[in-house]
Amino acid sequence: MTTLTAHDARALTWPQLLTLVWGRWLVSLTFRMIYPLLGFLAAGFAVDLTTASLLITVQVAASLFSPLGGIISDSIGDRATMIGGGIIFTLGAAICAMSAAFVPFLFGYAVIGLAIAVGMPALQSYVSARSHYERRARMLGVLELSWALSALLGVPLITWSVERWGIAPIFAGLTIAGGVMLISYIMLPNDDQTPSRQLHQSASANHLWHLFKQPSILTALGFVFIQLAAVELIFVSYAGWLNSAFNATTAELGFVFGLLGVVELIGSLSATLFTDRIGKRRAVLGGFLLVGVWLLLLPQSGSWPIFLALLLAFDLCFEFAIVSTFPLISGLSAQRRGALLAMMTAGIGGGRIVGSLAGPWISATAGYALTSTIAGILALIGFGIGLLFIKEGNA
């Protein structure tokens, strides 16, 4: 079995990368736009807010199907899997556009979640396979900028448009955009198809479990799960904390959300520019170490400015660390990179599910300060595990 050569790794041009960034931005926008629209959708479909929140649940739960996408990606190729994901995304958007009731809309949104679970790890694997490991953080960092840009450049426009035209025209537009994304994927260069790669692809599904036999990979996946569970405890609680401790208004919460979007962009840009230079393992561990420190300090803040500064510092370090984690994980196995990145996505989803379920309960029963303390301890436990067991790859 062989990996892509240095010449092959440079085959991905910047215009092609920007095409992939646009596709990543589109699905990120579709994922994130639901959060501020929950109240609008609940009223429009005549359901309560708890029922409407099932839209978020199915999106996060769909990420648990990412390993299936990894198997498909390693079997038929990254580009073919991306095309399949684009087809599923377009179908899901069309179902949402035509839905007049909540249940079919929920089904369509679940289909979109499945498309993201299947297609995004393949997209990351496609970029990883076409970038040399020493420069991979730069390439994947540019790709992950789309997450922050979706909040800054997409969500405000979507919320403005929905208030004026309703949800159906928005998803009709997303259906058209999905078709454009699909065509752009079809026009990308195909995967490397050397005989050794074809032999590997035919056997990848049968040997997927070999990944679980490698302690370094198991540790890395557990590390990701713990860190995402820790930070999600805060992401689902900070709005209530701000409201409870500082009587934050809706406008002030919107301002904080905007600041977090700016910080996410800065964190992604920092990972893009510096992770390759300082080392991927060092960047990931250092970033999550600071995450744990800020979370432990957060309950000690006695004023709005200090709390806000610590919250932004936490989000900055988290975004830097999580973007740096993708190239680090991608280098652990070139032969099964698609499956590995897919399992990382599933680990992220699993951690978010645990954190999103535990966060409100802990906050309601023991207070927000204890929630942040537990999150900080978990982050530092994850850091210790990573320091002892996670190694730098080179694939």
Side-chain angles (χ1 to χ4, degrees), residues 93-376:
I95 294 173
C96 288
M98 295 184 293
S99 298
F102 180 74
V103 172
F105 187 89
L106 178 65
F107 174 74
Y109 205 63
V111 171
I112 292 175
L114 180 62
I116 297 173
V118 170
M120 286 305 99
L123 193 156
Q124 293 166 334
S125 178
Y126 185 87
V127 174
S128 297
R130 294 172 181 274
S131 57
H132 198 276
Y133 185 73
E134 281 72 19
R135 297 184 296 275
R136 191 169 300 156
R138 182 190 309 172
M139 303 295 280
L140 287 176
V142 170
L143 183 68
E144 292 304 316
L145 287 175
S146 56
W147 176 259
L149 290 174
S150 67
L152 293 175
L153 303 181
V155 173
L157 178 61
I158 289 291
T159 54
W160 178 85
S161 301
V162 165
E163 290 179 352
R164 283 152 181 79
W165 299 305
I167 198 67
I170 300 304
F171 274 91
L174 290 173
T175 303
I176 296 172
V180 175
M181 176 180 67
L182 179 60
I183 294 172
S184 70
Y185 287 171
I186 293 174
M187 296 175 65
L188 289 170
N190 204 354
D191 302 272
D192 174 47
Q193 292 295 327
T194 60
S196 59
R197 180 175 173 86
Q198 292 172 345
L199 177 63
H200 157 63
Q201 287 176 339
S202 66
S204 61
N206 294 330
H207 295 281
L208 176 63
W209 290 106
H210 285 189
L211 290 174
F212 291 103
K213 296 180 181 179
Q214 302 180 40
S216 61
I217 290 178
L218 277 178
T219 301
L221 295 175
F223 169 85
V224 169
F225 177 89
I226 291 173
Q227 296 293 1
L228 266 294
V231 299
E232 193 68 14
L233 290 175
I234 300 303
F235 284 138
V236 300
S237 304
Y238 78 85
W241 197 347
L242 286 170
N243 183 267
S244 173
F246 303 106
N247 296 316
T249 65
T250 301
E252 288 170 335
L253 291 176
F255 174 71
V256 172
F257 181 83
L259 287 179
L260 290 174
V262 173
V263 163
E264 287 177 358
L265 181 60
I266 296 173
S268 296
L269 280 171
S270 299
T272 302
L273 295 173
F274 302 117
T275 294
D276 284 329
R277 299 180 183 180
I278 65 179
K280 298 167 186 61
R281 179 179 180 272
R282 191 178 295 116
V284 170
L285 293 179
F288 279 117
L289 172 62
L290 289 175
V291 165
V293 171
W294 301 137
L295 289 177
L296 290 179
L297 289 176
L298 199 58
Q300 310 306 318
S301 59
S303 65
W304 165 272
I306 295 176
F307 183 95
L308 184 59
L310 289 172
L311 182 67
L312 295 176
F314 146 73
D315 195 36
L316 174 67
C317 294
F318 167 68
E319 191 67 20
F320 175 82
I322 194 62
V323 172
S324 300
T325 303
F326 285 105
L328 176 66
I329 297 294
S330 75
L332 297 180
S333 175
Q335 290 75 22
R336 300 179 181 89
R337 184 180 287 118
L340 183 56
L341 286 168
M343 287 193 293
M344 177 183 169
T345 301
I348 289 174
R352 290 186 62 204
I353 290 173
V354 171
S356 65
L357 292 175
W361 180 81
I362 297 174
S363 298
T365 57
Y368 294 107
L370 182 61
T371 302
S372 185
T373 300
I374 292 174

